[in-house]
Amino acid sequence: MNLKRVVVTGLGSVTPIGNTVQSYWESLVNGVSGAGPITHFDASKFKTQFGCEVKDFDPLQYLDRKEARKLDLYTIYGMVASQEAVDMSNLLNDNVDCDRVGVIWASGIGGMNTMYNEVEEFLQGDGTPRFNPLMVPKMIADIAAGQISIKYGFRGPNYAIVSACASSAHAMIDAFNYIRLGKANAFVTGGSEAAINIPGVGGFNAMHAISTRNDDPKTASRPFDKDRDGFVLGEGAGALIFEELEHALARGAKIYCEVAGAGMTGDAHHITAPHPEGHGAIKGMKLALEDANLSTTDVDHINTHGTSTPLGDIAEITAILSVFGEHSSKLAVNSTKSMTGHLLGAAGAIEAIASIMAMQNGIVPPTINHFTDDPEINQDVNIVYNKALKKDLNVVLSNTFGFGGHNASIIFKKFVK
């Protein structure tokens, strides 16, 4: 079967370091940390009192008050990022067949703010249930996909992906597969998350998963550093327009890159810890290379999952060494989570955007906050620490992993007709 080629024709982002793709990119290149004290609620009694919140964001800049009240924050982030991506792609102005445009969107958790606020209000009352009739449609994890499709009239395949922190990577891979099988012409894909709230921070604190470096939030996300103590919780959204090549060419769309291949595996090992030798990650990257019909030496750059957790970083570098061998020293490897924090279900999407922008600009953003080499992190892997690196990039790979042992790797390459 001849598979169709898939390209990227639009990008959109809302992140802790910029609410547009351009501002996000400029912050990445300049090593800007998005971490700071939590402002969404009083975190003074929490073990972790900081996060990577989205800043200078007013939903009423994008939505009218009545519409915004019907949406959870995770959906609003998704709507805003999607608007930028749809505008960039020019899909609507080119009068495309909306029956052939779908939305596959992701969130690791969905409308946690809505659920928490409604339950809290009930518990503070006299026991009489007075739940908002919009509670369920605001909180469910598929509603961002539904809202995006309703806004633009995109009537192609529409659903949500939930695979914890791998969610938006899986969403992109599903969109990629649908298009190359000829089931649709284009997709809005990506993911959004808004979990910096009381249950979000409390839950991750209870797991000892997030950093407690309250005295220095901006250096708290330290992927691959000896003194890393967990990830920093982030929020926001990343949106991409995946499009069938001939469809994009026919309407004269600007093409940012080609989606070359993808691999997905399960660790089958532990609910939160990665396989210590990175077996699932190894197989995922190998499957992506095979799917893209590329060799290890074709890859120039890896945007790692790189969360800044003690176990995860070691397992991922071990996996990269296993797959790429001597070529590991020629790769430019980074973790943009050092700046954005961990956007959970939106992480794969914003890191795909970072990878594509790196290829577009020939610049690898740094892994900031590196102070001390970890003897358990093999330094034969060329990790770009603290300062951006200029490098021609033709093929980039983005890794995303999630609780439950979900592994997803996706490869983008420069478009050549």
Side-chain angles (χ1 to χ4, degrees):
M1 180 179 182
N2 291 324
L3 296 175
K4 296 180 182 296
R5 294 171 67 184
V6 181
V7 294
V8 177
T9 57
L11 305 169
S13 63
V14 174
T15 80
I17 55 173
N19 297 336
T20 63
V21 170
Q22 188 57 38
S23 61
Y24 169 48
W25 172 246
E26 289 172 2
S27 294
L28 286 175
V29 171
N30 290 306
V32 175
S33 169
I38 288 173
T39 64
H40 291 344
F41 65 95
D42 179 3
S44 59
K45 293 186 178 179
F46 284 66
K47 291 179 182 176
T48 296
Q49 297 163 8
F50 62 94
C52 282
E53 295 179 336
V54 169
K55 301 162 189 67
D56 303 320
F57 183 87
D58 180 359
L60 300 184
Q61 288 180 320
Y62 310 95
L63 306 164
D64 65 43
R65 190 176 301 277
K66 185 176 180 182
E67 186 180 12
R69 289 178 60 185
K70 297 177 181 176
L71 304 174
D72 188 273
L73 186 57
Y74 100 95
T75 300
I76 293 175
Y77 287 155
M79 298 281 283
V80 173
S82 296
Q83 179 74 61
E84 185 181 15
V86 169
D87 288 348
M88 191 182 292
S89 74
N90 219 25
L91 270 178
L92 294 178
N93 291 339
D94 287 342
N95 196 29
V96 298
D97 179 0
C98 289
D99 287 342
R100 297 276 298 171
V101 180
V103 181
I104 303 179
W105 198 257
S107 181
I109 300 174
M112 181 183 266
N113 285 296
T114 297
M115 171 63 104
Y116 174 76
N117 291 337
E118 290 287 334
V119 172
E120 183 185 43
E121 190 168 317
F122 170 74
L123 293 175
Q124 290 179 352
D126 62 2
T128 303
R130 297 184 179 89
F131 290 95
N132 188 323
L134 292 176
M135 182 187 81
V136 172
K138 280 179 69 174
M139 61 168 277
I140 51 181
D142 68 304
I143 203 62
Q147 291 285 1
I148 293 166
S149 71
I150 291 166
K151 178 174 181 177
Y152 301 107
F154 294 149
R155 296 181 294 272
N158 183 288
Y159 60 93
I161 296 284
V162 179
S163 55
C165 303
S167 297
S168 53
H170 280 127
M172 291 186 290
I173 294 170
D174 265 18
F176 173 49
N177 285 330
Y178 266 102
I179 295 171
R180 62 180 177 167
L181 288 171
K183 303 294 185 184
N185 293 335
F187 276 95
V188 181
T189 187
S192 53
E193 204 76 85
I196 302 180
N197 48 40
I198 287 173
V201 176
F204 283 115
N205 263 162
M207 296 173 63
H208 304 288
I210 53 178
S211 172
T212 56
R213 203 179 299 276
N214 293 312
D215 59 333
D216 193 5
K218 290 193 179 301
T219 72
S221 184
R222 303 183 180 193
F224 315 120
D225 187 272
K226 179 178 179 295
D227 296 323
R228 64 193 182 280
D229 70 335
F231 69 81
V232 176
L233 195 55
E235 62 177 0
L240 302 94
I241 307 299
F242 280 15
E243 188 168 353
E244 193 272 321
L245 172 60
E246 296 302 326
H247 186 268
L249 291 174
R251 65 184 188 87
K254 180 176 179 178
I255 294 173
Y256 291 88
C257 67
E258 182 167 359
V259 188
M264 299 179 284
T265 65
D267 271 358
H269 170 68
H270 189 273
I271 58 169
T272 57
H275 190 285
E277 296 172 11
H279 283 177
I282 290 169
K283 185 66 175 174
M285 287 188 278
K286 286 183 174 179
L287 287 172
L289 287 165
E290 181 181 322
D291 190 35
N293 195 27
L294 294 170
S295 67
T296 53
T297 54
D298 292 322
V299 178
D300 302 305
H301 166 46
I302 298 178
N303 187 308
T304 64
H305 188 56
T307 56
S308 184
T309 56
L311 295 179
D313 289 2
I314 295 172
E316 186 169 11
I317 293 300
T318 301
I320 289 171
L321 271 166
S322 175
V323 173
F324 291 91
E326 292 182 358
H327 187 61
S328 300
S329 63
K330 298 181 177 64
L331 291 165
V333 174
N334 72 350
S335 169
T336 44
K337 285 187 181 74
S338 60
M339 294 170 273
T340 64
H342 191 353
L343 271 66
L344 308 180
I350 68 159
E351 288 158 21
I353 292 169
S355 303
I356 293 166
M357 292 297 286
M359 191 162 49
Q360 285 269 309
N361 292 280
I363 301 174
V364 178
T367 304
I368 67 168
N369 301 330
H370 183 74
F371 303 100
T372 308
D373 289 347
D374 181 348
E376 295 191 71
I377 299 284
N378 192 314
Q379 301 301 318
D380 288 344
V381 177
N382 180 30
I383 301 173
V384 179
Y385 286 130
N386 295 328
K387 185 178 179 182
L389 172 70
K390 289 185 177 179
K391 180 180 172 68
D392 288 336
L393 306 172
N394 291 305
V395 177
V396 300
L397 184 154
S398 182
N399 279 336
T400 314
F401 311 136
F403 285 169
H406 313 299
N407 306 298
S409 297
I410 187 164
I411 297 176
F412 302 95
K413 66 180 182 181
K414 278 187 177 174
F415 170 64
V416 178
K417 193 172 180 181

